[in-house]
Structures are given as C-alpha cells and as structure tokens.
Amino acid sequence: MRKKVTPKGASLSEVFSFLSKVSSREKKIVRRLILAMMLMFTSKVLNLLVPFFFKAAVDTVTLGAIPAPLVRFLPFLASPEMGRTFTATQVCASLVILYGLLKLLSGVTHESRNVVFSRAQYAVGRRVTRMSFEHIHDLDADFHSHSRTGALVRIVDRGT
C-alpha cells in the first residue's frame, strides 16, 4: 500500500502567498477581488435574511395579528404613542414586498459578484499560466532531456 504524500505547496498559507504574489502586481485585480468578496458577503447576508421575513409574513397571516417577536424587533408597528398603528394586513403586505426585494437584491449582488470576479479570475489565470510556462522554459536541459514529454504535457494541462 502506498503512503499518501501531501504534495509540496499544498498548504493554504502557501496558496494565499502565491495568490497575493500573482495578484499584487496590478491594483485593479486586487480591487476587483476585494469588491467581489464584499458582494459575496452582502449576498450571503441578504440570502440569510430572506426566510426570516417570509416566516414573519406567514405568522402574520396565520395569527391574524402582528406576531410578538416582530413587535419586539420593530416596536413602531403596534405602539400608538409612536404615531399610527398598522393592521396585520398592512404589515403582512409590507413583509411580502420586503421579502421579494431582499430575494431580488440577493440575486443581483450574487450576479454582480460573478461579473466583477470574472475579469480578475481570467487575469490571474493568464498570469499563472504564463508563470508556469516561463518556469518550464527556465528548467535546465537535463530535465527536458530526461523527462517524459507526455507527462509534462499532462501536468501543464492539469495545471498541477
């Protein structure tokens, strides 16, 4: 039985150092990566909020009144001293509209992240490919004369 050997350069810190080396040359790529991460975080947060608003809308319809947890979270909904009070129907309609808007915003931020990240992804991919190609060309002649050409092509194709 062969012992499983972790390949050199497989640690996460080495991957991040390589990524920072590859992307730090162009500030545009770094900005795009940061913006893509911010959009991804925003999309995830919005996506997490969606079911809570849907639950609140369903609870409002089921109870026929504004649920107590919702009143605790948004006290202006049911307190006459803070202005006008809202009916359960108004609150339910508002929650359904808010649910739809959150779902829409979650999708928009997700797709925006894809648009922003795609340019950075291709730029970094091109740079990694070029660096790999330059590395292969910089290897000594002994490596090229004694290595199997098919294995080298397979390694380059896999990207490992």
Side-chain angles (χ1 to χ4, degrees):
M1 177 179 243
R2 280 181 63 190
K3 182 182 172 187
K4 186 175 179 182
V5 179
T6 305
K8 183 181 174 194
S11 74
L12 194 57
S13 63
E14 289 177 1
V15 170
F16 279 131
S17 68
F18 178 72
L19 185 62
S20 68
K21 183 175 82 171
V22 168
S23 65
S24 66
R25 292 182 187 163
E26 266 189 68
K27 297 300 178 198
K28 276 177 122 175
I29 293 175
V30 174
R31 283 194 301 263
R32 281 186 176 276
L33 288 173
I34 291 170
L35 180 61
M37 289 180 70
M38 288 171 42
L39 286 169
M40 179 186 66
F41 180 74
T42 304
S43 172
K44 297 299 178 188
V45 168
L46 290 174
N47 214 13
L48 283 173
L49 290 175
V50 166
F52 291 108
F53 283 96
F54 188 69
K55 179 197 179 303
V58 169
D59 288 348
T60 304
V61 170
T62 304
L63 296 173
I66 304 169
L70 190 61
V71 171
R72 270 185 258 125
F73 183 66
L74 301 170
F76 64 88
L77 290 176
S79 65
E81 62 271 1
M82 296 185 94
R84 76 176 252 202
T85 57
F86 296 93
T87 65
T89 308
Q90 291 171 327
V91 171
C92 181
S94 300
L95 287 170
V96 169
I97 290 169
L98 192 57
Y99 162 79
L101 286 174
L102 284 175
K103 192 97 169 134
L104 177 75
L105 283 174
S106 174
V108 166
T109 54
H110 179 74
E111 293 303 319
S112 299
R113 179 195 58 91
N114 288 340
V115 168
V116 168
F117 184 66
S118 65
R119 274 194 154 165
Q121 178 183 6
Y122 290 127
V124 170
R126 283 191 303 269
R127 186 165 292 138
V128 167
T129 303
R130 190 180 71 239
M131 289 172 70
S132 301
F133 193 68
E134 288 171 357
H135 174 73
I136 290 171
H137 277 281
D138 290 343
L139 293 172
D140 60 346
D142 187 49
F143 172 81
H144 291 292
S145 64
H146 288 83
S147 69
R148 297 183 314 236
T149 309
L152 183 62
V153 170
R154 198 167 49 250
I155 288 170
V156 170
D157 284 343
R158 284 188 199 149
T160 59

